[in-house]
């Protein structure tokens, strides 16, 4: 029998509906930052462009300080220079009472030039030159010893200067997380750390131990790791104080708090996963406070980087060209790539669009400008159809990018800071070929 005729229809299919894989991540529309249109910033300073918000930095600092200061009597935060050592950014932290935490001679000099006195600098790192150690010692910096050869250097410096040098020990310990960071400092569980402390206490007055330090990792989502670290380092401190009679006065628990970014290995959005500063502070402060009660607890130092600044940093980037790949996938060539976004190895950044362009989202790949196969910012993201000249916003990118960016194929772009009075300040101009050529002869 002949079937009835049914008139064909076209039904529009909407992406973005919830399905068994969760809901799709449609791009957010962000057209301005702190009252400034991103399009205008690009017109004024070029593309690509790093944009930092002072308000967002100060907000984080406030949350962080409140979390620890309300729970601990003598707390001293320090700012991890390698996370972002643009002077204007560092100065915000110093204005808010943060000391400097540096891991090289160059960073030490930067901190000094930013007006931080030597006695407010923590000098960490596995590779401290003899001369930089000597200068830091003369200027009263807190030296965190990483290994025995460094300890021997400091003994020599003490003899040269004919003075007792105050030092601290960096230790590493097992917090039950993987991977276990055991390459920096002296291992606790094996007894190496105690042995190093004995060496200091038996140095005939050349050295005295004033603190112990541990930095357990980075992007540490596991709060229990801090509980274990805080307990172990407090017990170690008490052992040294009571057995070796060293005049210690601080514990430094490093950094490692996660930012609101999404690791490639993560399924859920980080906002569901990351504990806030209060959660970390509660665990850490309680553990240390309890270990020392009823005595006065030592000063607590922290050295956080990533969590303080990542979300305050944005990168505006523009489409240079579009392509359709042989498999039908939409590809965009952007003017910013892994040369500016070192952390793209680990993160799936949020990609936001500057204006709403209705429906028609397509699974797209974002390539950078380099003539290198690996130069990919995002392998998969839903984007509306963009054309040459359109811009997007990549975030959060405030941590570890403007320090690890490289001058490879492309030069580095300008960085602006929107300050707390909403003025736009050029805090690093874009590089020129003269800048690069000046080193050569
Ligand atoms: C890098 C570093 C930090 C900062 O770590 P974040 O994970 O960014 O908070 C702190 N202390 C030391 C010793 C470091 O090397």
């Amino acid at each position: 029998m002949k079937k009835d005729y049914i008139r064909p229809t076209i039904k529009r299919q909407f992406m973005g509906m919830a399905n068994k894989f969760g809901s799709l991540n449609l791009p957010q529309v962000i057209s301005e930052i702190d009252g400034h249109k991103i399009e205008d910033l690009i017109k004024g300073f070029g593309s690509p462009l790093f944009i930092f918000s002072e308000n967002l930095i100060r907000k984080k600092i406030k949350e962080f300080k409140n979390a620890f200061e309300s729970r601990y009597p003598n707390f001293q935060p320090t700012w991890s220079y390698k996370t972002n050592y643009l002077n204007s950014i560092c100065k915000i932290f110093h204005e808010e009472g943060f000391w400097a935490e540096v891991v090289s001679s160059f960073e030490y000099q930067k901190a000094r030039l930013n007006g931080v006195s030597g006695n407010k600098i923590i000098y960490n790192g596995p590779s401290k030159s003899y001369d930089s150690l000597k200068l830091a010692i003369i200027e009263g910096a807190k030296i965190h010893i990483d290994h025995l050869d460094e300890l021997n250097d400091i003994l020599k410096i003490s003899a040269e200067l004919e003075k007792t040098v105050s030092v601290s020990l960096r230790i590493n310990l097992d917090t039950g997380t993987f991977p276990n960071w055991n390459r920096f400092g002296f291992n606790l569980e094996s007894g190496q750390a105690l042995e190093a402390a004995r060496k200091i206490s038996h140095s005939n007055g050349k050295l005295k131990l004033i603190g112990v330090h541990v930095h357990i990792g980075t992007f540490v989502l596991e709060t229990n790791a801090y509980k274990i670290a805080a307990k172990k380092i407090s017990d170690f401190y008490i052992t040294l104080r009571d057995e070796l009679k060293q005049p210690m006065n601080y514990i430094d628990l490093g950094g490692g708090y996660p930012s609101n970014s999404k690791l490639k290995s993560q399924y859920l959005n980080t906002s569901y996963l990351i504990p806030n500063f209060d959660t970390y502070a509660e665990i850490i402060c309680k553990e240390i406070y309890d270990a020392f009660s009823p005595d006065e607890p030592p000063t607590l130092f922290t050295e956080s980087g990533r969590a303080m600044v990542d979300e305050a940093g944005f990168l505006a980037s523009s489409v240079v060209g579009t392509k359709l790949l042989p498999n039908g996938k939409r590809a965009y060539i952007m003017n910013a790539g892994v040369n500016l976004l070192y952390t793209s190895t680990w993160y799936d950044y949020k990609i936001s669009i500057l204006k709403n362009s209705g429906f028609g989202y397509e699974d797209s790949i974002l390539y950078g400008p380099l003539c290198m196969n690996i130069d990919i910012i995002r392998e998969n993201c839903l984007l509306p159809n963009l054309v040459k000249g359109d811009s997007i916003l990549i975030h959060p990118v405030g941590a570890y990018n403007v320090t690890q960016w490289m001058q490879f194929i492309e030069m580095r772009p300008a960085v602006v800071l929107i300050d707390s009075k909403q003025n736009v300040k050029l805090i690093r101009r874009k590089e020129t070929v003269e800048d690069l050529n000046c080193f050569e002869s």
Side-chain angles (χ1 to χ4, degrees):
M1 207 177 86
K2 200 176 163 197
K3 283 187 185 158
D4 289 345
Y5 171 76
I6 300 168
R7 183 172 59 90
T9 55
I10 295 175
K11 189 168 176 221
R12 188 176 197 168
Q13 298 294 322
F14 290 102
M15 295 174 87
M17 296 296 141
N19 59 31
K20 67 178 175 175
F21 303 111
S23 60
L24 286 167
N25 279 317
L26 293 180
Q28 218 182 325
V29 178
I30 300 182
S31 56
E32 12 181 283
I33 296 171
D34 292 351
H36 288 272
K37 281 214 153 43
I38 294 157
E39 298 275 13
D40 293 344
L41 294 173
I42 291 175
K43 268 190 207 118
F45 299 95
S47 173
L49 179 67
F50 273 102
I51 305 161
F52 281 87
S53 157
E54 180 171 350
N55 281 342
L56 287 178
I57 297 175
R58 298 232 186 228
K59 190 167 160 255
K60 275 284 163 189
I61 291 176
K62 203 166 168 188
E63 283 170 26
F64 187 75
K65 286 208 304 191
N66 280 347
F68 282 89
E69 282 171 357
S70 62
R71 292 178 171 87
Y72 202 83
N74 26 19
F75 169 64
Q76 180 57 57
T78 72
W79 166 239
S80 153
Y81 259 52
K82 75 173 186 292
T83 308
N84 184 327
Y85 45 59
L86 293 175
N87 297 329
S88 305
I89 303 285
C90 294
K91 282 178 181 171
I92 297 173
F93 284 92
H94 299 321
E95 262 179 42
E96 296 275 357
F98 281 58
W99 293 8
E101 186 269 334
V102 304
V103 291
S104 70
S105 167
F106 149 66
E107 288 186 8
Y108 184 86
Q109 292 171 57
K110 263 209 160 226
R112 293 287 289 119
L113 291 169
N114 279 336
V116 184
S117 57
N119 65 353
K120 292 184 174 173
I121 300 178
I122 289 178
Y123 192 6
N124 276 318
S127 170
K128 307 179 184 81
S129 70
Y130 190 86
D131 289 344
S132 71
L133 267 175
K134 194 170 159 188
L135 178 69
I137 286 166
I138 290 169
E139 296 184 337
K142 306 236 175 318
I143 314 285
H144 290 187
I145 306 176
D146 184 79
H147 53 262
L148 282 178
D149 291 290
E150 188 181 320
L151 200 157
N152 287 333
D153 275 353
I154 299 171
L155 283 168
K156 269 190 226 151
I157 292 168
S158 159
E160 254 186 77
L161 300 176
E162 295 177 7
K163 75 169 210 171
T164 303
V165 177
S166 297
V167 293
S168 301
L169 272 187
R170 176 162 185 177
I171 66 171
N172 65 71
L173 43 80
D174 186 1
T175 58
T177 50
F178 182 84
N180 180 19
W181 276 27
N182 56 15
R183 60 169 281 188
F184 300 110
F186 299 89
N187 182 256
L188 179 69
E189 289 86 5
S190 69
Q192 238 181 27
L194 184 60
E195 213 175 297
R198 285 215 177 97
K199 236 179 139 77
I200 292 165
S201 116
H202 300 157
S203 66
N204 293 325
K206 282 190 176 138
L207 308 182
K208 67 176 183 197
L209 189 64
I210 59 168
V212 279
H213 164 228
V214 66
H215 172 59
I216 60 172
T218 193
F219 215 103
V220 181
L221 290 163
E222 179 56 61
T223 53
N224 198 47
Y226 283 95
K227 186 177 161 78
I228 293 169
K231 176 82 174 92
K232 283 188 174 180
I233 201 168
S234 299
D235 290 348
F236 183 58
Y237 181 106
I238 290 165
T239 305
L240 301 187
R241 185 193 64 189
D242 296 349
E243 287 181 20
L244 303 179
K245 309 273 181 275
Q246 289 293 302
M248 292 192 294
N249 56 48
Y250 74 88
I251 284 178
D252 180 343
L253 220 56
Y257 312 109
S259 63
N260 194 353
S261 195
K262 188 175 164 295
L263 292 173
K264 291 204 158 144
S265 56
Q266 255 168 238
Y267 172 66
L268 289 171
N269 262 332
T270 311
S271 50
Y272 301 116
L273 295 178
I274 58 165
N276 57 18
F277 290 143
D278 281 310
T279 311
Y280 288 103
E282 181 68 28
I283 286 167
I284 290 168
C285 298
K286 183 179 187 319
E287 211 59 46
I288 299 180
Y289 209 79
D290 286 355
F292 287 91
S293 169
D295 306 343
E296 169 87 348
T299 299
L300 171 63
F301 284 102
T302 56
E303 309 169 333
S304 55
R306 185 188 307 280
M308 310 303 300
V309 79
D310 209 15
E311 287 136 77
F314 304 81
L315 178 63
S317 172
S318 313
V319 176
V320 174
T322 63
K323 274 188 185 178
L324 208 55
L325 300 184
N327 64 3
K329 189 163 177 150
R330 173 70 53 191
Y332 294 106
I333 304 157
M334 308 302 300
N335 61 2
V338 297
N339 52 322
L340 302 182
L341 297 170
Y342 190 84
T343 61
S344 57
T345 312
W346 301 282
Y347 288 153
D348 275 342
Y349 307 115
K350 278 181 216 118
I351 306 293
S352 297
I353 49 180
L354 306 193
K355 50 182 180 276
N356 206 332
S357 51
F359 285 97
Y361 292 97
E362 241 184 305
D363 185 27
S364 313
I365 182 164
L366 293 178
Y367 293 127
L370 306 184
C371 204
M372 294 276 287
N373 200 41
I374 56 159
D375 189 19
I376 299 171
I377 308 172
R378 274 294 299 266
E379 220 140 351
N380 296 292
C381 60
L382 282 176
L383 285 175
N385 219 300
L386 302 175
V387 297
K388 184 177 171 67
D390 282 348
S391 299
I392 57 167
L393 198 63
I394 305 166
H395 59 117
V397 298
Y400 295 105
N401 289 305
V402 296
T403 47
Q404 296 186 85
W405 54 359
M406 55 185 142
Q407 168 273 303
F408 172 58
I409 301 183
E410 294 285 339
M411 286 180 290
R412 285 165 286 209
V415 183
V416 295
L417 174 74
I418 304 175
D419 74 11
S420 42
K421 296 194 185 91
Q422 301 206 359
N423 296 313
V424 182
K425 301 258 172 73
L426 178 66
I427 61 170
R428 194 181 195 275
R429 67 162 169 81
K430 66 173 159 198
E431 290 173 346
T432 65
V433 73
E434 287 78 27
D435 293 329
L436 300 175
N437 275 344
C438 75
F439 301 111
E440 297 182 39
S441 57

